[in-house]
Amino acid sequence: MNEPSWRPPQPAAGYGEPPANARPHAAGHEGESRGHGRDGAGTPPASAASAASTPGVAAGGGPQGQGGSGGGKRAGRDLRAAVGVGLALGAVIIASLFIYKPVFLGVIAVAVMVGVWELCSRLAERKQIQVPMVPLAIGGAAIVVAGYLRGAAGAWVALGLTVLVVLLWRMAFSPETYLRDATASVFAAFYVPFLATFVALMLAADDGAWRVLTFLVLVVLSDTGAYAVGWRLGRRKLAPRISPGKTLEGLAGAISFAMVGGALCFAFLIEDAVWWQGLLMGLAVAICATLGDLGESMIKRDLGIKDMGTLLPGHGGIMDRLDSLLPTAPVAWLLYLAFTGAG
C-alpha cells in the first residue's frame, strides 16, 4: 500500500463518484505508524524528526504532539489554520443552534453528505470498493431529516429505504464484487448518516440546543483532557497497534475532564437534570469518544491513509472531525432519554 509509484484507480463510471484523487495518502499514515497516532491521549514526539512524522488531531479540535518545524506549525499541522477553522466551525454551530434549529439540522445534513463522499472516495481509491454515492448521500440527508421530524422510528424507516435504493442502484452495474460493494454500502449508511441522526434527535427536544451544545462540549473536553494529561504524564500505551499515541493516562484525563464538565453542564444548562447525571454522561462520552477515534483509526490504517480528506485545513476532512462524535451520539441520546425524558 505504500509504494511511491502507486496511484488509486478512477472509480467506475455510473456510481456518482468524483474522479479518484491521485494523491497518495500512505505517506502520512506511515508517519502515524511510527508511534505518535492522531489523538491527544498520546505521548509527545521526542525530537523534531519525530514531529515531522505528522501525527493527527483528535475530534474536538486540538493539535496533537509536541515540537514541529516552526512557522505556525506543530506536529506536522498548521496550527493557525487549525485554530481558525475550529473557531469558524464553532461559530457556525453555536449560531445555527440558538438562532434557528432547522439551520443546524441543515448543517448536520451537509456534514453527513460530505462525510459519505469522503468515506466512499477513500474506499474507491484504496480498496476499489464502489459504493453508489449519489443515492447514499441523498438518503443520508433524508435519514437525518426523518429522525428530526419523526423520531427514532422515522430514522429507522429512512435507513431501510436508503439501503434498499442503494442495493438496487448497484444492481444496474456489473455483478462482479456486488456482495463486497453492497456490504460496504450498508456499513457506510449506518456509520455516517444513521449515527449522526442521533444528534438530530437530541436537537428535536424542547431544550435541544442545550442538549446538543452539552454533548459537543463534553466531546471537546474529553479530547482536551486526553491531550493535556497524555502530553504531560502519558506513559502506558492504550492501544499501540491501533493508535500508538494513546495512553491510559490520557484516557484518565479525558474521563476526568468530561465528568467535571458533565456535572457543571447538567447542573446549569439541562432542564430537569442533576449534577450526578452529568458525571455519568461525561464518563460515557469520554469512553465512547475514545472508542470512536480508535474505530476510525482502524479504518484509516486498513486503507493506508492519514486523513479521510483535506476539506478542513489543519484538521483533515469532515470525517476526521466526526470520528469521535458519531458513536458517542446514540449513547448520549439514550442517557438524555433516561435522565430527563424526550423533552
Side-chain angles (χ1 to χ4, degrees):
M1 298 296 288
N2 291 330
E3 296 90 355
S5 61
W6 190 90
R7 292 294 183 273
Q10 299 287 346
Y15 289 92
E17 295 86 346
N21 186 347
R23 176 176 64 86
H25 297 271
H29 175 73
E30 180 184 354
E32 181 181 348
S33 67
R34 291 179 185 138
H36 308 304
R38 60 171 302 278
D39 56 272
T43 54
S47 66
S50 60
S53 63
T54 321
V57 185
Q64 311 307 324
Q66 184 182 23
S69 57
K73 291 189 177 182
R74 189 178 185 184
R77 298 283 186 180
D78 188 331
L79 287 190
R80 284 189 290 262
V83 171
V85 169
L87 290 175
L89 288 175
V92 169
I93 289 171
I94 292 175
S96 58
L97 264 177
F98 291 98
I99 293 176
Y100 191 49
K101 282 185 180 181
V103 175
F104 184 73
L105 184 67
V107 171
I108 301 174
V110 170
V112 162
M113 296 178 75
V114 175
V116 165
W117 170 73
E118 289 179 347
L119 177 59
C120 294
S121 296
R122 302 296 84 78
L123 289 173
E125 290 171 6
R126 308 300 292 183
K127 296 292 188 179
Q128 294 77 52
I129 296 174
Q130 305 297 338
V131 174
M133 189 181 301
V134 171
L136 184 55
I138 295 174
I143 294 170
V144 171
V145 175
Y148 179 76
L149 296 177
R150 297 295 182 181
W156 278 110
V157 171
L159 174 64
L161 292 175
T162 297
V163 168
L164 178 61
V165 171
V166 167
L167 296 182
L168 292 174
W169 186 293
R170 177 59 183 81
M171 288 176 64
F173 303 94
S174 169
E176 295 181 2
T177 71
Y178 176 81
L179 184 59
R180 184 189 67 179
D181 297 346
T183 302
S185 300
V186 174
F187 166 75
F190 180 84
Y191 181 47
V192 186
F194 183 73
L195 293 183
T197 300
F198 287 92
V199 182
L201 292 174
M202 295 182 219
L203 182 68
D206 293 337
D207 60 340
W210 293 108
R211 294 189 183 203
V212 173
L213 181 63
T214 296
F215 161 68
L216 296 175
V217 165
L218 294 186
V219 173
V220 172
L221 286 174
S222 172
D223 171 68
T224 303
Y227 175 72
V229 176
W231 182 78
R232 291 286 185 181
L233 305 175
R235 295 294 182 272
R236 293 171 294 176
K237 301 298 183 181
L238 176 63
R241 296 185 61 185
I242 303 173
S243 185
K246 284 191 180 297
T247 62
L248 290 171
E249 293 81 4
L251 176 60
I255 292 173
S256 300
F257 276 51
M259 289 182 70
V260 172
L264 293 173
C265 289
F266 269 58
F268 297 106
L269 300 181
I270 305 300
E271 295 180 5
D272 302 321
V274 293
W275 65 271
W276 63 264
Q277 294 171 338
L279 290 176
L280 297 179
M281 177 69 81
L283 174 63
V285 165
I287 293 174
C288 292
T290 302
L291 292 175
D293 188 36
L294 289 173
E296 181 156 305
S297 292
M298 285 282 288
I299 295 172
K300 291 193 289 188
R301 284 189 175 278
D302 187 25
L303 296 177
I305 60 176
K306 178 176 71 70
D307 293 325
M308 283 289 188
T310 58
L311 183 63
L312 304 176
H315 292 264
I318 290 292
M319 283 301 298
D320 299 297
R321 299 298 85 215
L322 296 179
D323 55 358
S324 297
L325 296 169
L326 290 174
T328 308
V331 176
W333 176 75
L334 282 173
L335 288 176
Y336 277 132
L337 197 64
F339 292 151
T340 63

